[in-house]
Amino acid sequence: MKYNFILAEEIDDPSKISNWIIQPKIDGERVKLVKHGKVVSLINRRGFEKINKFPEIKEDIIPDGEFDGELFIPSQEKQYGSLSLTTTRSNASVGKVDLFRNCYPAKLILFDLLKMGNKDWQNVSYALRYNILKKLFAPLKCKSIFVIDNFSSLSEAMEIIEEYDIEGLIFRNPRAKYFHGRSKDVLKWKRTKKETFDVGFFTQKINEDEPMKNKRISALGLYANGKFKGKVNCLVSDEDRVKIFSRWNNLTHEEGKSKNFLIGNPFQADVEFRLETNSGKLRNATLLKLRGL
């Protein structure tokens, strides 16, 4: 059974949001931290218990209550203030958060209070819940658990997320109650970039013996300065498939390489993506236009 969380709706233009609380969008695994007496739980969105995988969280100073937050592996390269608020070393992959846990200590960033002791706070405003959360953890001197800081303005937020490669922003309605499910009172915005890459290969082989009609070119291999940047899905019309086939068939292949690696390849791809992984691969790439037809 899935564990209920308040979930954000995605927006394209953050400048239209005013008088809401602005926070960095941390890139990790969503969890709820629950403590009753000596029992500590760390439950993800699928309802799985995670606490035994992260003893640094379990052994930290935790008051009785229920808290909403993000579990992540902080970047070792950049620090924002006293806390790493950069994209995670795990690049938001839940599986990789687990994978890296033995190499790098995890952090838990909290952004909401659901219960404190036996009192339920979900029906009060977010502004009040957040203020109580800050006051509750301020004197505890935790090593692995922190309360998220708010930005003072959108301009400050934009400068910081650009400098520290933070994935995006979260906007919270200060008057909103906690809601289980998708909520219009919590909005998320993710940074995107647009660049043009060389197309190094098509993953689906195109040749004279295969009918072109209704065939899908499953993915394009993207390169920048000879370095592989990842793949992007591509669908083209029958007319364009004929053009691709004609040009593809006339290209020569580099000696000793796969037939998909071409000399003088005219194809380029305009791609929109969200940041890059630590190894330089594109994240969430979307094809905008295939050039060279």
Side-chain angles (χ1 to χ4, degrees):
M1 179 181 292
K2 292 186 178 180
Y3 208 74
N4 289 326
F5 289 78
I6 188 169
L7 302 176
E9 290 195 354
E10 190 159 355
I11 58 172
D12 296 323
D13 186 1
S15 65
K16 295 181 179 180
I17 309 300
S18 60
N19 300 319
W20 281 31
I21 294 171
I22 308 173
Q23 298 169 342
K25 185 183 184 303
I26 304 304
D27 200 2
E29 181 176 9
R30 186 77 174 274
V31 291
K32 282 187 179 178
L33 175 66
V34 182
K35 181 173 184 287
H36 295 297
K38 295 183 179 180
V39 180
V40 180
S41 293
L42 196 63
I43 307 169
N44 68 8
R45 285 179 58 184
R46 297 179 65 188
F48 294 147
E49 175 62 77
K50 310 282 291 186
I51 195 65
N52 290 330
K53 294 183 177 181
F54 299 95
E56 63 269 40
I57 304 298
K58 186 177 182 178
E59 295 167 5
D60 213 336
I61 305 169
I62 308 170
D64 276 16
E66 186 173 330
F67 313 93
D68 193 352
E70 195 87 2
L71 181 68
F72 70 111
I73 311 297
S75 167
Q76 305 299 305
E77 288 78 26
K78 291 186 178 181
Q79 298 284 323
Y80 170 45
S82 61
L83 176 66
S84 293
L85 291 186
T86 68
T87 53
T88 64
R89 186 178 292 275
S90 61
N91 299 308
S93 165
V94 171
K96 288 184 179 179
V97 170
D98 285 352
L99 178 65
F100 281 105
R101 73 180 189 275
N102 294 324
C103 304
Y104 308 98
K107 302 290 184 183
L108 178 59
I109 192 83
L110 301 178
F111 39 73
D112 212 337
L113 167 68
L114 284 71
K115 295 180 181 179
M116 186 171 63
N118 294 323
K119 186 171 182 179
D120 192 322
W121 289 90
Q122 297 178 72
N123 289 322
V124 304
S125 70
Y126 177 73
L128 179 57
R129 298 198 309 273
Y130 175 80
N131 287 336
I132 295 172
L133 183 66
K134 289 286 285 186
K135 291 178 181 178
L136 182 62
F137 277 85
L140 297 184
K141 298 181 180 179
C142 297
K143 295 181 179 180
S144 300
I145 304 173
F146 303 88
V147 177
I148 202 163
D149 288 324
N150 300 334
F151 293 119
S152 61
S153 66
L154 181 58
S155 59
E156 178 199 37
M158 289 297 192
E159 289 179 5
I160 291 176
I161 66 171
E162 181 70 27
E163 181 178 356
Y164 292 92
D165 291 334
I166 298 172
E167 184 187 31
L169 297 173
I170 295 290
F171 298 84
R172 299 182 187 274
N173 183 344
R175 298 173 293 279
K177 300 176 182 179
Y178 196 92
F179 176 81
H180 296 273
R182 195 71 60 185
S183 173
K184 294 183 178 180
D185 288 316
V186 183
L187 306 175
K188 62 182 178 182
W189 172 79
K190 297 181 180 180
R191 293 167 56 211
T192 60
K193 295 181 179 180
K194 295 179 182 179
E195 293 184 17
T196 300
F197 298 92
D198 295 324
V199 176
F201 62 85
F202 294 93
T203 58
Q204 178 173 306
K205 186 178 179 181
I206 300 175
N207 60 48
E208 234 174 344
D209 299 326
E210 293 180 345
M212 298 301 293
K213 191 174 182 180
N214 298 324
K215 293 280 294 181
R216 171 175 175 161
I217 299 174
S218 60
L220 310 179
L222 305 176
Y223 286 79
N225 299 319
K227 183 178 180 181
F228 180 59
K229 304 294 289 184
K231 299 177 184 178
V232 64
N233 290 335
C234 176
L235 287 172
V236 294
S237 67
D238 290 342
E239 181 181 356
D240 285 342
R241 286 190 181 96
V242 173
K243 294 179 182 178
I244 292 172
F245 166 74
S246 176
R247 295 195 176 192
W248 192 267
N249 198 46
N250 290 327
L251 292 171
T252 58
H253 302 278
E254 188 174 345
E255 187 69 26
K257 296 288 186 180
S258 163
K259 290 183 178 180
N260 287 331
F261 288 83
L262 308 172
I263 296 173
N265 188 350
F267 297 112
Q268 290 187 314
D270 294 342
V271 175
E272 182 177 71
F273 60 97
R274 291 172 178 162
L275 307 180
E276 298 182 13
T277 68
N278 291 319
S279 60
K281 302 296 190 301
L282 306 185
R283 294 187 53 204
N284 303 109
T286 301
L287 181 69
L288 300 178
K289 184 177 180 179
L290 177 62
R291 299 178 179 272
L293 298 177

